[in-house]
Amino acid sequence: MELHNLTASELIEKLSLKQITPDEILFSLDKQIKRLESKIKAYVRLDGNKISTLPTISHLEGTSLKGIPVSVKDNICTDGYLTECCSKILSGFKPPYDATVIKKLKEAGARILEPKTNMDEFAFGSSTENSCFGPTYNPWDLGRVVGGSSGGSAAAVAADEAILALGSDTGGSIRQPASFCGVVGLKPTYGRVSRYGLIAFASSLDQIGPITKDVKDCALLMNTISGYDPCDSTSVDIEVPDFTKALIPDVKGIKIGIPNEYFVEGLDPQVKNVIEEAINKLKDLGAMCEQVSLPHTEYAVAVYYIIATAEASSNLARFDGVQYGYRSKSKISKKIESSSLIEMYKQTRAEGFGSEAKRRIILGTFVLSHGYYEAYYLRALKVRTLIKNDFDNVFRECDCIITPTSPTTAFKIGERIDDPLKMYLSDIYTISANLAGIPAISIPCGFDKYGLPVGLQILAKPFDEEMLFRVAYAYEQSTPWHKMKPKIIFEQ
Ligand code: GLN
């Protein structure tokens, strides 16, 4: 085993025993990245250079992530270092401040890698094919997608090219790539982790969260990034428990709800089998499983694509060639006439945004427009409340809910890129957690016949991440999946 093959908790132990140094970890990671990046392309702006880290501002003695490298998605701001959301329109953008999660990580002594991880442009997508830098390739099968939009982070963790990684999740962008890459991904409760410095996609749905090799690392990273932040008015002032204390391998008496609406047509039969085996495993461990109903599930995708695009169209209005990143060099802007500023905006946005971003801006503007606002946007908000009520009802009886993370395993590169509706359906099982604001985790639970990983999703009440950790840890500790790694890691 080399250092890059280890988990953060294993490295922390070795560091505390002074068996290794932080620079040795970085050296080992650098070697692995050099070996695999030409095939996987998990990072952007790597340029074949040695990986560098951002300056760590300060760290207290004994802080938990001291010396541990953390890889960061390209939509999380790092002071003075490129953060481009994998979009041409943000090319050259260096934020003048750190996101709160970055500040907290630096204070905990973590080493933030300067190259960021690849993503769908502005987090719009489910495959990481919508990146202006091109796709990331799945370490389990290079012909397949990594999921998205945090695909670079998930692939980096799966290929041992990252120790810990951060992603963001608006409708499944942490959990679905974690599932496709066979790693752990958590979307925290809305308000648990500060969004300050996360470049906004849909502000009422976005959350930053961990992508890690195992459940313990996920708890460690959550301990560092969680907590109230006055810079984010939607962050909630609630105590942050030590999540590692919830890592108890015992689910006896825990009540798990299995929603009927998630086991219907469209669910790949192999994924279904693997999930059913996982449920049986949890029963063997003493959990009590019962069928439940989330009756408004069928509206989740439609509601999401109204609310998320409405918010995105408004959030993206600021990219006009004046304040951030790219500006069109088109001659039009030189004309001295009243329309020239407007022309510059138009030209910049036409050249700077990719086609999925444009599709969402158009859709979002439409649903917010006079005459349609009530028919679409307002109605979607009402159905969102019904979806939230469904969860409240189930959580009166159950401690958590279990579902597949995604209806399929990783699909082939190019397979869905020209069919947005099919792509949108990749998130059918993950979107509801964002609409309801509840926490959800995806953990590896087996493989299909092509050797592709399957993810198990666990959902809990708002701010009950401890329940997720407990169930996930108990399952993980009694199964071998989290220890399995793609062959490419060991090939010469
Ligand atoms: N795939 C979903 C979308 O394209 C979710 C993306 C996300 O969570 N950022 O909107």
Side-chain angles (χ1 to χ4, degrees), residues 123-126 148-149 168-173 201 304-305 360 427:
F124 300 152
S126 310
S149 62
S168 67
D169 192 312
T170 306
S173 275
F201 162 2
Y304 172 84
Y305 277 96
R360 297 201 184 203
D427 307 304

PDB file of all heavy atoms in Angstrom, residues 123-126 148-149 168-173 201 304-305 360 427, ligand 1:
ATOM      1  N   ALA A 123     -22.411  23.223 -12.729  1.00  0.00           N
ATOM      2  CA  ALA A 123     -23.072  22.085 -12.054  1.00  0.00           C
ATOM      3  C   ALA A 123     -24.363  21.661 -12.748  1.00  0.00           C
ATOM      4  O   ALA A 123     -25.223  21.041 -12.131  1.00  0.00           O
ATOM      5  CB  ALA A 123     -23.309  22.365 -10.568  1.00  0.00           C
ATOM      6  N   PHE A 124     -24.483  21.990 -14.047  1.00  0.00           N
ATOM      7  CA  PHE A 124     -25.661  21.604 -14.826  1.00  0.00           C
ATOM      8  C   PHE A 124     -25.378  20.286 -15.523  1.00  0.00           C
ATOM      9  O   PHE A 124     -24.805  20.265 -16.621  1.00  0.00           O
ATOM     10  CB  PHE A 124     -25.982  22.635 -15.913  1.00  0.00           C
ATOM     11  CG  PHE A 124     -26.266  24.020 -15.413  1.00  0.00           C
ATOM     12  CD1 PHE A 124     -26.000  25.121 -16.217  1.00  0.00           C
ATOM     13  CD2 PHE A 124     -26.826  24.235 -14.162  1.00  0.00           C
ATOM     14  CE1 PHE A 124     -26.275  26.406 -15.780  1.00  0.00           C
ATOM     15  CE2 PHE A 124     -27.108  25.522 -13.724  1.00  0.00           C
ATOM     16  CZ  PHE A 124     -26.827  26.618 -14.539  1.00  0.00           C
ATOM     17  N   GLY A 125     -25.761  19.172 -14.911  1.00  0.00           N
ATOM     18  CA  GLY A 125     -25.578  17.913 -15.619  1.00  0.00           C
ATOM     19  C   GLY A 125     -25.441  16.737 -14.687  1.00  0.00           C
ATOM     20  O   GLY A 125     -25.370  16.879 -13.466  1.00  0.00           O
ATOM     21  N   SER A 126     -25.405  15.547 -15.296  1.00  0.00           N
ATOM     22  CA  SER A 126     -25.350  14.301 -14.534  1.00  0.00           C
ATOM     23  C   SER A 126     -24.256  13.393 -15.052  1.00  0.00           C
ATOM     24  O   SER A 126     -24.284  12.187 -14.830  1.00  0.00           O
ATOM     25  CB  SER A 126     -26.680  13.559 -14.665  1.00  0.00           C
ATOM     26  OG  SER A 126     -27.750  14.415 -14.398  1.00  0.00           O
ATOM     27  N   GLY A 148     -22.456  13.098 -12.471  1.00  0.00           N
ATOM     28  CA  GLY A 148     -22.192  14.527 -12.356  1.00  0.00           C
ATOM     29  C   GLY A 148     -23.209  15.187 -11.444  1.00  0.00           C
ATOM     30  O   GLY A 148     -24.127  14.554 -10.963  1.00  0.00           O
ATOM     31  N   SER A 149     -22.963  16.423 -11.128  1.00  0.00           N
ATOM     32  CA  SER A 149     -21.942  17.232 -11.754  1.00  0.00           C
ATOM     33  C   SER A 149     -20.581  17.178 -11.056  1.00  0.00           C
ATOM     34  O   SER A 149     -19.595  17.607 -11.644  1.00  0.00           O
ATOM     35  CB  SER A 149     -22.403  18.686 -11.792  1.00  0.00           C
ATOM     36  OG  SER A 149     -22.590  19.180 -10.473  1.00  0.00           O
ATOM     37  N   SER A 168     -20.584  19.625  -4.745  1.00  0.00           N
ATOM     38  CA  SER A 168     -21.804  20.352  -4.395  1.00  0.00           C
ATOM     39  C   SER A 168     -22.972  19.583  -4.980  1.00  0.00           C
ATOM     40  O   SER A 168     -22.813  18.878  -5.982  1.00  0.00           O
ATOM     41  CB  SER A 168     -21.774  21.777  -4.941  1.00  0.00           C
ATOM     42  OG  SER A 168     -21.828  21.751  -6.350  1.00  0.00           O
ATOM     43  N   ASP A 169     -24.124  19.700  -4.320  1.00  0.00           N
ATOM     44  CA  ASP A 169     -25.276  18.871  -4.675  1.00  0.00           C
ATOM     45  C   ASP A 169     -26.530  19.742  -4.698  1.00  0.00           C
ATOM     46  O   ASP A 169     -26.928  20.287  -3.669  1.00  0.00           O
ATOM     47  CB  ASP A 169     -25.398  17.749  -3.623  1.00  0.00           C
ATOM     48  CG  ASP A 169     -26.367  16.651  -3.998  1.00  0.00           C
ATOM     49  OD1 ASP A 169     -27.497  16.976  -4.406  1.00  0.00           O
ATOM     50  OD2 ASP A 169     -26.008  15.458  -3.848  1.00  0.00           O
ATOM     51  N   THR A 170     -27.104  19.888  -5.887  1.00  0.00           N
ATOM     52  CA  THR A 170     -28.313  20.686  -6.065  1.00  0.00           C
ATOM     53  C   THR A 170     -29.505  19.777  -6.335  1.00  0.00           C
ATOM     54  O   THR A 170     -30.631  20.080  -5.971  1.00  0.00           O
ATOM     55  CB  THR A 170     -28.100  21.669  -7.244  1.00  0.00           C
ATOM     56  OG1 THR A 170     -26.911  22.409  -7.004  1.00  0.00           O
ATOM     57  CG2 THR A 170     -29.265  22.627  -7.416  1.00  0.00           C
ATOM     58  N   GLY A 171     -29.187  18.637  -7.007  1.00  0.00           N
ATOM     59  CA  GLY A 171     -30.244  17.667  -7.302  1.00  0.00           C
ATOM     60  C   GLY A 171     -29.690  16.256  -7.301  1.00  0.00           C
ATOM     61  O   GLY A 171     -30.318  15.333  -7.805  1.00  0.00           O
ATOM     62  N   GLY A 172     -28.468  16.101  -6.789  1.00  0.00           N
ATOM     63  CA  GLY A 172     -27.865  14.760  -6.752  1.00  0.00           C
ATOM     64  C   GLY A 172     -26.398  14.758  -7.130  1.00  0.00           C
ATOM     65  O   GLY A 172     -25.755  13.698  -7.190  1.00  0.00           O
ATOM     66  N   SER A 173     -25.831  15.936  -7.350  1.00  0.00           N
ATOM     67  CA  SER A 173     -24.483  16.036  -7.912  1.00  0.00           C
ATOM     68  C   SER A 173     -23.340  15.534  -7.045  1.00  0.00           C
ATOM     69  O   SER A 173     -22.211  15.431  -7.524  1.00  0.00           O
ATOM     70  CB  SER A 173     -24.187  17.483  -8.284  1.00  0.00           C
ATOM     71  OG  SER A 173     -24.699  17.732  -9.553  1.00  0.00           O
ATOM     72  N   PHE A 201     -25.883  27.904  -8.109  1.00  0.00           N
ATOM     73  CA  PHE A 201     -26.684  27.330  -9.210  1.00  0.00           C
ATOM     74  C   PHE A 201     -28.148  27.618  -8.839  1.00  0.00           C
ATOM     75  O   PHE A 201     -28.762  28.513  -9.411  1.00  0.00           O
ATOM     76  CB  PHE A 201     -26.333  25.842  -9.335  1.00  0.00           C
ATOM     77  CG  PHE A 201     -27.300  24.951 -10.089  1.00  0.00           C
ATOM     78  CD1 PHE A 201     -28.450  25.432 -10.706  1.00  0.00           C
ATOM     79  CD2 PHE A 201     -27.027  23.583 -10.195  1.00  0.00           C
ATOM     80  CE1 PHE A 201     -29.311  24.579 -11.402  1.00  0.00           C
ATOM     81  CE2 PHE A 201     -27.888  22.731 -10.887  1.00  0.00           C
ATOM     82  CZ  PHE A 201     -29.045  23.234 -11.475  1.00  0.00           C
ATOM     83  N   TYR A 304     -38.422  20.040  -9.858  1.00  0.00           N
ATOM     84  CA  TYR A 304     -37.009  20.434  -9.781  1.00  0.00           C
ATOM     85  C   TYR A 304     -36.591  21.252 -10.997  1.00  0.00           C
ATOM     86  O   TYR A 304     -35.930  22.283 -10.867  1.00  0.00           O
ATOM     87  CB  TYR A 304     -36.137  19.178  -9.654  1.00  0.00           C
ATOM     88  CG  TYR A 304     -34.656  19.463  -9.765  1.00  0.00           C
ATOM     89  CD1 TYR A 304     -33.928  19.871  -8.659  1.00  0.00           C
ATOM     90  CD2 TYR A 304     -33.984  19.347 -10.980  1.00  0.00           C
ATOM     91  CE1 TYR A 304     -32.570  20.149  -8.752  1.00  0.00           C
ATOM     92  CE2 TYR A 304     -32.624  19.626 -11.089  1.00  0.00           C
ATOM     93  CZ  TYR A 304     -31.920  20.019  -9.979  1.00  0.00           C
ATOM     94  OH  TYR A 304     -30.582  20.302 -10.075  1.00  0.00           O
ATOM     95  N   TYR A 305     -36.963  20.796 -12.195  1.00  0.00           N
ATOM     96  CA  TYR A 305     -36.484  21.503 -13.387  1.00  0.00           C
ATOM     97  C   TYR A 305     -37.191  22.833 -13.608  1.00  0.00           C
ATOM     98  O   TYR A 305     -36.764  23.633 -14.423  1.00  0.00           O
ATOM     99  CB  TYR A 305     -36.481  20.591 -14.622  1.00  0.00           C
ATOM    100  CG  TYR A 305     -35.198  19.782 -14.611  1.00  0.00           C
ATOM    101  CD1 TYR A 305     -35.157  18.496 -14.100  1.00  0.00           C
ATOM    102  CD2 TYR A 305     -33.991  20.362 -15.006  1.00  0.00           C
ATOM    103  CE1 TYR A 305     -33.967  17.787 -14.020  1.00  0.00           C
ATOM    104  CE2 TYR A 305     -32.799  19.674 -14.929  1.00  0.00           C
ATOM    105  CZ  TYR A 305     -32.792  18.391 -14.441  1.00  0.00           C
ATOM    106  OH  TYR A 305     -31.603  17.717 -14.349  1.00  0.00           O
ATOM    107  N   ARG A 360     -30.920  26.129 -19.825  1.00  0.00           N
ATOM    108  CA  ARG A 360     -31.495  26.379 -18.494  1.00  0.00           C
ATOM    109  C   ARG A 360     -31.870  27.838 -18.298  1.00  0.00           C
ATOM    110  O   ARG A 360     -32.862  28.147 -17.650  1.00  0.00           O
ATOM    111  CB  ARG A 360     -30.519  25.911 -17.428  1.00  0.00           C
ATOM    112  CG  ARG A 360     -30.327  24.412 -17.573  1.00  0.00           C
ATOM    113  CD  ARG A 360     -29.824  23.773 -16.346  1.00  0.00           C
ATOM    114  NE  ARG A 360     -29.587  22.364 -16.634  1.00  0.00           N
ATOM    115  CZ  ARG A 360     -29.556  21.421 -15.725  1.00  0.00           C
ATOM    116  NH1 ARG A 360     -29.736  21.727 -14.458  1.00  0.00           N
ATOM    117  NH2 ARG A 360     -29.332  20.174 -16.056  1.00  0.00           N
ATOM    118  N   ASP A 427     -31.459  11.683 -12.296  1.00  0.00           N
ATOM    119  CA  ASP A 427     -31.502  12.197 -10.917  1.00  0.00           C
ATOM    120  C   ASP A 427     -32.822  11.941 -10.232  1.00  0.00           C
ATOM    121  O   ASP A 427     -33.126  12.536  -9.200  1.00  0.00           O
ATOM    122  CB  ASP A 427     -31.265  13.709 -10.920  1.00  0.00           C
ATOM    123  CG  ASP A 427     -30.024  14.063 -11.663  1.00  0.00           C
ATOM    124  OD1 ASP A 427     -28.975  13.528 -11.296  1.00  0.00           O
ATOM    125  OD2 ASP A 427     -30.104  14.843 -12.623  1.00  0.00           O
TER     126      ASP A 427
HETATM  127  N1  GLN B   1     -28.108  16.649 -12.549  1.00  0.00           N
HETATM  128  C1  GLN B   1     -28.896  17.658 -11.896  1.00  0.00           C
HETATM  129  C2  GLN B   1     -28.951  18.880 -12.769  1.00  0.00           C
HETATM  130  O1  GLN B   1     -28.412  18.827 -13.841  1.00  0.00           O
HETATM  131  C3  GLN B   1     -28.322  17.979 -10.558  1.00  0.00           C
HETATM  132  C4  GLN B   1     -27.110  18.761 -10.652  1.00  0.00           C
HETATM  133  C5  GLN B   1     -26.573  19.160  -9.328  1.00  0.00           C
HETATM  134  O2  GLN B   1     -26.912  18.569  -8.298  1.00  0.00           O
HETATM  135  N2  GLN B   1     -25.760  20.193  -9.346  1.00  0.00           N
HETATM  136  O3  GLN B   1     -29.539  19.862 -12.423  1.00  0.00           O
END
